[in-house]
Amino acid sequence: MRFLVLGPVGVFAGGRRITLARGQQRTILAMLLAGNGEVVTTDRLVDTLWGSAPPHTARKSLQSHVSRLRHLLLSMAPGERDPLESAPDGYRMDLAVHEFDAHLFRDLVEQAKLCSDPRETLSLLERAEGCWDGPAFGDLAAHPGLEAPARHLDQQRNAAAAERHETLLTLGRHDDAARALSRVVEAEPFDERAHGQLMRALVATGRRAEALATFRQVQTRLRDELGVDPSSELRGLHEHILRQDTESSVPAPPPNRTAELVRRSDPLLGRERDLETVGTWLRSASLVTLTGPGGIGKTRLAERLVEHTRDIWRDGVISCALAHVRDAEGVGGALITALAIQPSGGHSVTDALVSGLGDRHLLLFLDNCEHVLDAVTPHVEAIVDACPGTTVLVTTRERLHLRNERVWPVTPLDVPPENARPTDVTATSAGSLFRMRALAVDPAFRLNDANAGAVAELCRRLDGMPLAIELAAARTRALTPAALAQRLDQRFAVLAGGPRHEGGRHRTLEAVVAWSYELLAPEEADLFDRLAVFAGAVPLASVEAVCSAGHLPHTAIAGLLGELVDKSMVVVQRDGEDVRYRLLDTMRDFGLRRLEDRGLADALRRAHAAHHVTLAETQARRSRGPEEPEAAEVITRAMDDLRAAHAWAVAAEDVDTALRLPAALADEVFFRLRDEVTTWARRAVALAGAGDHPAHAGALATAAWGATSRDECERAVREAQTSLAEVEPGGAVALLALGALGTAALYQGRLAEVLALTDRQEVPAVALDDDFRLTYAWVCRVLGHLYRGETEEAAAGVPQLRRIAERSGSPTMRAFSRYCDGEVHLERDPDRATASLEEAVALARSVNNRLIEGVSLVCLASSQGRRGQVREALHAFRDVVVHWRQVGDHTHQLTAVRNLVELLAEMEADEPAAVLYGAVTSGDTPTYGLEAQRLTRAWQRVEERLGHETADALAERGQRLGVRRVGDEALARLDVLLET
């Protein structure tokens, strides 16, 4: 007897196909077949047949329907084994003895994947297609209980069809492929892979014009109906066809790297369909959300999707983990930091995100959003609406409920049947995961006839939840699967029976965590609880510093941590020699509740905050010398915990921690553009009693540095002057505040004041033996002279500046000295300037100094333009405009575009020069000195060629753009010029 669901639900018996009459028996058969050989509970069948208000006789009626169905099936194939089995809580179909068309289809597809001969592959895929007789489950496909399995099967059919078409192309059967694919694209107008295959087939048959028309059609549909552009692969194929002189050499799509990536890392078992479908969505959708309960594997699936699609995104992938964020302000700060953008004064975080992303083509991955969904959703909505090149991938326990959101529920793994043999266990993803994790902790573990049934029971009772299965498997080093199953029965007696809805899965997972926790030794359990205070992945040294106690000595932490890793309670993250440890979100929540119950939460949070204050202060000192690369990396990796420590300190009104953290990180704000630290500083100084604390002035100085980066120079002056008034002259904080005052004066063109302030900085810097601050004072001195037109004085200061920078050992200050050398010699000695600026960029990038990298790139672009390297200069200006857009620095963006206007005028590209001139002169940031002189000369040349009236009209158009759209306009103009 063969059961049929690949078309109308029915049975093949006695040499003929039998389709059951409409009615409850046919629905029951379909539900049992959708169960794929597993027990379908009585509750689920009742819900399916009668909905939320079943009659009081529902269970009795169900028994009657099942009895008649069994009799009908046996009458179709007399003498064959009864396929319908009863279980204590439901019914199942025995699909191990009887045939099932869905199994046959999948087996043929799997054989085709393993086949190396394309002709044999095609034969197998054609046989697989022959199993189908219409949409899965026929007219029952829309039934609420069958919609998901029907959709799953149809998606598998579509994937097999795509492989069949690819094989036809490989074999050179282009006409056959074109005919089949024409039908596919008509039925699936957004299927980009099918459109690409059709284009290749058409070109190969000499129908190049039709191939190009096919691209235009799908491009129009995607833009008009989904608001997105075709994928980079499809656009690349289109461009290749346009470039071809012959009509035969159209490239195949890039090889599928999925298998290679999976082989290189742990297998992601049971997620093939998820990877295929969601991977396709990411190529066309603007927002994709993975939903499901904690422990279901949303994050791991998303991470693998990022691996598989990374090459699609021209501007890469940006990840932002939000598990540790607890409020709306923290969400904004985390996003700003992840995207490395800089809000300008008066503009919201959402505005900064939209402006910073612009038309960048990238994937933004937001992980663990459920607890801050109200805060995340407005940002995502704005990005999706305003940034067509950005695709957002979200993991959360519930959807965002936004327009055009595509939601993929991440479901449990498939589980083995009862009375499973070893091969039955490993044929399922849950069973394979258990075996793999058990072997990881006990290489002697063997799955055999004696334990297969217990393993299968564990997988079923754990609802196929990956995290729960991993926790159970990790205990096999101490307990047999049978012993584990017995403990599971005792632990989950209260959970027996009932529908397996999402909430039930989540309760099961929480219970499994508790069960695994109870199996820990007392010292292991204590360390696990304490680890929950960390927000991110942390090194062993941090664990030892925060978690050691009298009964948990420093020397015991490493061994206990290793035990927790072995038992799957702690995750290890390795990046070369850097090894870190973290708790999964579900584990962290459990541990935090334990800390609260034990009355230890406040003490651990205080210890955590104190450790990270010390870390910030220590690494900040190291970052001002030759150890800057390592120190900057330590701070970068600790940002999740620094953020969590400061949020706790503000909530707990721990003024000491709240002030000292931002006070230590002023250089991170200015050089690495960590704008959220500016917000930390302002929140801290507003706390009650903050004004009396010694760190108040330092936090104010940090806020002042942040204000200069936000284009809030007046505020920077107020905050820096207040800071100076609170401290003794000549100290480190006074020196920091003077630097912020000098920077604000430099940005505003108050150059005499800049030079006076550098004199005030030099004496205390020398007295403190602080070559880092002394170098910065000389930077301001050289630039002050240069911008005043005192080029000889500026040039005379460069050798001393470079000597001090070298003595400091800081890559940041060495980069700054090279930048100043390049600026000073830009016209005097272009070759020297170029060499210095290129060195400045390399040094800045080595320590993620976004500020010096950007200003050096502007100078390089200008230098190329002045040396007549016009095309190279245009490309360089494009790069730097993108750089400032990414970091959201409008002040420096204006400087870049002013220099671009000079180049455009020299090229006689008068129309774009006039528009951009209007844009860069419309804001509040002044232009002065040599820059102002060059800009004025450029405008005069443009005005002479265009005529006063035309030039003014174009400039007025630029003024209407406003400062925030200068970058967008510059990129659009540059792209046109580079295409000609």
Side-chain angles (χ1 to χ4, degrees):
M1 187 182 305
R2 180 188 299 172
F3 293 99
L4 309 171
V5 295
L6 304 183
V9 175
V11 181
F12 189 87
R16 63 192 181 96
R17 179 183 184 125
I18 304 169
T19 301
L20 277 66
R22 293 174 181 269
Q24 303 288 50
Q25 292 172 39
R26 187 162 71 107
T27 303
I28 292 169
L29 175 62
M31 286 294 296
L32 295 176
L33 292 174
N36 203 33
E38 300 174 30
V39 172
V40 180
T41 64
T42 299
D43 287 342
R44 185 177 177 191
L45 288 168
V46 168
D47 287 345
T48 300
L49 294 175
W50 288 286
S52 59
H56 69 277
T57 59
R59 287 177 174 267
K60 185 174 181 180
S61 297
L62 175 63
Q63 291 176 351
S64 176
H65 286 306
V66 170
S67 177
R68 288 199 293 272
L69 175 61
R70 177 181 284 114
H71 177 76
L72 177 61
L73 294 174
L74 290 174
S75 69
M76 292 178 184
E80 290 195 26
R81 179 172 165 177
D82 185 357
L84 204 165
E85 298 181 352
S86 298
D89 59 343
Y91 305 91
R92 66 179 289 270
M93 296 298 295
D94 186 355
L95 299 177
V97 174
H98 297 278
E99 292 183 350
F100 186 27
D101 63 351
H103 286 176
L104 177 59
F105 165 73
R106 290 176 183 138
D107 289 346
L108 289 166
V109 171
E110 288 303 313
Q111 291 175 45
K113 289 179 181 178
L114 299 174
C115 187
S116 58
D117 183 348
R119 287 169 296 188
E120 187 177 347
T121 299
L122 182 61
S123 175
L124 289 165
L125 290 172
E126 287 176 341
R127 287 173 58 196
E129 175 60 23
C131 296
W132 288 79
D133 187 31
F137 291 94
D139 61 313
L140 291 175
H143 195 287
L146 296 167
E147 188 175 7
R151 184 173 62 248
H152 182 188
L153 284 169
D154 286 336
Q155 288 167 344
Q156 290 182 324
R157 181 187 190 182
N158 292 339
E163 291 304 319
R164 190 170 71 253
H165 301 144
E166 192 63 45
T167 307
L168 284 171
L169 292 170
T170 301
L171 291 170
R173 294 173 54 179
H174 302 109
D175 284 319
D176 292 340
R179 282 192 293 272
L181 287 160
S182 295
R183 293 190 293 271
V184 173
V185 299
E186 184 177 353
E188 299 289 342
F190 303 116
D191 187 335
E192 292 187 75
R193 182 179 182 184
H195 280 84
Q197 290 174 324
L198 177 58
M199 289 164 65
R200 289 163 52 211
L202 290 170
V203 170
T205 55
R207 297 146 70 185
R208 184 169 176 269
E210 289 182 51
L212 295 173
T214 297
F215 176 81
R216 289 194 296 271
Q217 288 168 1
V218 70
Q219 181 185 49
T220 300
R221 288 194 191 103
L222 289 169
R223 286 178 174 175
D224 291 351
E225 298 184 41
L226 298 181
V228 299
D229 284 322
S231 66
S232 57
E233 288 95 336
L234 198 60
R235 293 199 308 272
L237 176 59
H238 175 244
E239 291 168 6
H240 185 93
I241 295 171
L242 287 171
R243 289 196 303 268
Q244 290 304 305
D245 294 325
T246 65
E247 298 174 344
S248 59
S249 56
V250 178
N256 189 335
R257 301 173 59 222
T258 301
E260 177 189 353
L261 286 165
V262 170
R263 282 195 298 271
R264 277 194 249 144
S265 55
D266 285 346
L268 190 62
L269 298 168
R271 300 301 188 203
E272 295 82 4
R273 175 173 66 104
D274 308 61
L275 286 170
E276 181 179 353
T277 303
V278 182
T280 300
W281 286 3
L282 288 174
R283 289 164 168 81
S284 59
S286 54
L287 171 61
V288 176
T289 303
L290 304 181
T291 62
I296 197 70
K298 301 184 295 294
T299 296
R300 191 155 182 237
L301 172 60
E303 289 172 345
R304 192 58 56 85
L305 284 162
V306 168
E307 288 179 18
H308 288 186
T309 62
R310 186 176 297 279
D311 293 343
I312 294 172
W313 317 104
R314 182 185 68 233
D315 297 313
V317 177
I318 294 175
S319 299
C320 182
L322 295 171
H324 58 281
V325 176
R326 289 289 174 255
D327 56 30
E329 192 165 23
V331 169
L335 287 169
I336 289 292
T337 298
L339 289 164
I341 60 179
Q342 192 77 20
S344 291
H347 296 292
S348 69
V349 170
T350 301
D351 288 341
L353 293 171
V354 169
S355 177
L357 286 166
D359 63 355
R360 295 165 69 186
H361 184 255
L362 58 79
L363 177 66
L364 176 59
F365 168 33
L366 307 180
D367 192 27
N368 286 316
C369 298
E370 53 273 351
H371 59 297
V372 286
L373 212 56
D374 289 343
V376 168
T377 300
H379 296 314
V380 173
E381 184 174 24
I383 290 169
V384 168
D385 288 345
C387 306
T390 298
T391 295
V392 184
L393 173 63
V394 175
T395 67
T396 175
R397 292 183 187 177
E398 59 177 298
R399 63 183 301 171
L400 276 63
H401 296 284
L402 291 178
R403 182 172 53 85
N404 293 332
E405 178 183 18
R406 302 197 73 170
V407 181
W408 183 263
V410 182
T411 55
L413 303 177
D414 59 304
V415 298
E418 291 183 10
N419 304 316
R421 299 182 298 274
T423 54
D424 299 326
V425 173
T426 55
T428 66
S429 47
S432 294
L433 177 62
F434 186 98
R435 178 177 176 274
M436 182 174 70
R437 293 303 184 212
L439 281 168
V441 298
D442 181 10
F445 176 81
R446 294 292 180 271
L447 184 66
N448 52 40
D449 289 334
N451 61 22
V455 171
E457 181 184 354
L458 283 166
C459 293
R460 289 195 307 276
R461 295 296 304 279
L462 297 176
D463 281 336
M465 295 288 281
L467 177 58
I469 290 167
E470 292 191 19
L471 290 172
R475 307 306 307 175
T476 55
R477 189 167 63 173
L479 297 172
T480 66
L484 286 167
Q486 289 173 356
R487 291 184 66 89
L488 198 64
D489 282 336
Q490 296 163 9
R491 184 74 178 110
F492 300 141
V494 70
L495 297 174
R500 294 183 174 187
H501 51 73
E502 182 172 303
R505 292 194 195 107
H506 186 60
R507 290 198 303 273
T508 300
L509 178 63
E510 292 294 309
V512 172
V513 175
W515 166 62
S516 296
Y517 177 87
E518 290 166 6
L519 294 174
L520 298 175
E523 295 84 0
E524 294 168 354
D526 192 13
L527 178 58
F528 175 85
D529 293 346
R530 291 166 182 268
L531 284 168
V533 78
F534 290 103
V538 293
L540 175 61
S542 291
V543 179
E544 291 171 334
V546 174
C547 298
S548 58
H551 59 287
L552 284 181
H554 189 279
T555 54
I557 297 294
L560 293 171
L561 197 55
E563 290 296 318
L564 291 173
V565 170
D566 283 347
K567 294 169 183 176
S568 292
M569 301 293 282
V570 172
V571 175
V572 180
Q573 288 185 191
R574 289 184 174 86
D575 182 5
E577 296 300 312
D578 185 75
V579 179
R580 291 172 177 264
Y581 305 88
R582 69 179 177 93
L583 297 182
L584 297 176
D585 192 35
T586 301
M587 300 293 209
R588 183 183 296 109
D589 288 346
F590 182 90
L592 286 172
R593 287 198 299 273
R594 288 283 306 155
L595 284 178
E596 296 284 357
D597 292 344
R598 295 171 62 193
L600 295 177
D602 190 63
L604 262 294
R605 288 192 174 103
R606 194 171 298 279
H608 171 269
H611 169 72
H612 283 91
V613 168
T614 301
L615 180 147
E617 292 173 341
T618 301
Q619 300 308 321
R621 285 192 295 271
R622 291 180 68 216
S623 72
R624 294 194 287 271
E627 296 176 298
E628 182 182 10
E630 296 81 9
E633 184 64 21
V634 170
I635 291 174
T636 295
R637 292 180 183 272
M639 279 303 295
D640 287 345
D641 280 283
L642 291 169
R643 184 183 300 116
H646 194 267
W648 170 81
V650 171
E653 298 185 344
D654 182 334
V655 173
D656 182 72
T657 298
L659 289 170
R660 286 171 62 195
L661 263 178
L665 298 173
D667 297 327
E668 294 294 312
V669 169
F670 186 62
F671 293 116
R672 277 171 276 277
L673 301 177
R674 297 195 191 280
D675 179 75
E676 66 177 306
V677 179
T678 307
T679 303
W680 299 358
R682 290 177 178 171
R683 293 179 71 183
V685 298
L687 290 173
D692 299 326
H693 193 281
H696 183 264
L700 267 177
T702 294
W705 280 100
T708 65
S709 296
R710 288 185 174 187
D711 194 21
E712 299 173 347
C713 287
E714 294 299 330
R715 181 167 185 168
V717 170
R718 291 195 303 273
E719 289 170 332
Q721 287 176 339
T722 304
S723 175
L724 274 174
E726 293 180 2
V727 294
E728 290 295 326
V733 175
L735 194 55
L736 188 65
L738 285 170
L741 276 176
T743 302
L746 189 68
Y747 285 2
Q748 292 184 312
R750 295 180 279 110
L751 300 178
E753 187 176 340
V754 170
L755 296 176
L757 285 165
T758 61
D759 292 336
R760 290 178 64 186
Q761 293 173 65
E762 184 168 7
V763 173
V766 171
L768 293 169
D769 195 24
D770 189 342
D771 283 334
F772 187 90
R773 302 292 176 212
L774 181 59
T775 304
Y776 187 71
W778 272 88
V779 166
C780 291
R781 176 174 291 159
V782 168
L783 294 178
H785 282 303
L786 181 65
Y787 296 162
R788 280 163 60 100
E790 299 164 354
T791 55
E792 294 304 322
E793 291 87 341
V798 168
Q800 177 69 354
L801 167 59
R802 293 192 63 153
R803 281 193 293 272
I804 301 169
E806 291 302 311
R807 193 170 68 204
S808 77
S810 158
T812 278
M813 287 306 157
R814 291 171 62 214
F816 234 152
S817 71
R818 271 58 168 185
Y819 163 70
C820 289
D821 193 356
E823 274 267 45
V824 167
H825 291 93
L826 204 59
E827 295 183 5
R828 298 159 63 98
D829 187 347
D831 290 337
R832 172 175 173 172
T834 297
S836 292
L837 291 166
E838 288 176 346
E839 192 174 355
V841 170
L843 284 165
R845 286 174 175 168
S846 74
V847 289
N848 193 32
N849 190 316
R850 308 300 299 279
L851 175 75
I852 299 177
E853 177 189 357
V855 295
S856 300
L857 287 172
V858 173
C859 282
L860 276 171
S862 297
S863 174
Q864 288 174 321
R866 290 169 194 169
R867 298 171 72 182
Q869 299 169 340
V870 174
R871 195 155 192 85
E872 293 85 347
L874 290 174
H875 279 290
F877 270 114
R878 192 186 194 287
D879 290 342
V880 79
V881 169
V882 169
H883 173 85
W884 291 127
R885 261 189 31 172
Q886 288 176 351
V887 300
D889 191 323
H890 301 292
T891 301
H892 287 100
Q893 184 73 281
L894 287 171
T895 300
V897 179
R898 286 171 187 144
N899 282 271
L900 173 60
V901 169
E902 183 184 357
L903 173 64
L904 295 176
E906 190 67 31
M907 295 169 55
E908 298 188 10
D910 294 329
E911 182 182 347
V915 172
L916 291 175
Y917 174 83
V920 298
T921 55
S922 66
D924 296 328
T925 303
T927 180
Y928 55 83
L930 291 176
E931 181 185 75
Q933 294 172 21
R934 290 196 297 265
L935 189 63
T936 299
R937 286 197 298 269
W939 172 245
Q940 288 170 348
R941 293 198 301 272
V942 168
E943 197 173 30
E944 287 174 7
R945 289 192 291 263
L946 289 177
H948 180 77
E949 187 175 338
T950 301
D952 281 354
L954 290 168
E956 185 178 347
R957 187 196 307 171
Q959 289 171 355
R960 289 196 298 270
L961 290 172
V963 174
R964 296 181 60 79
R965 293 176 58 195
V966 168
D968 293 337
E969 181 68 18
L971 282 180
R973 298 290 181 167
L974 283 164
D975 286 341
V976 171
L977 290 168
L978 286 168
E979 287 176 4
T980 57

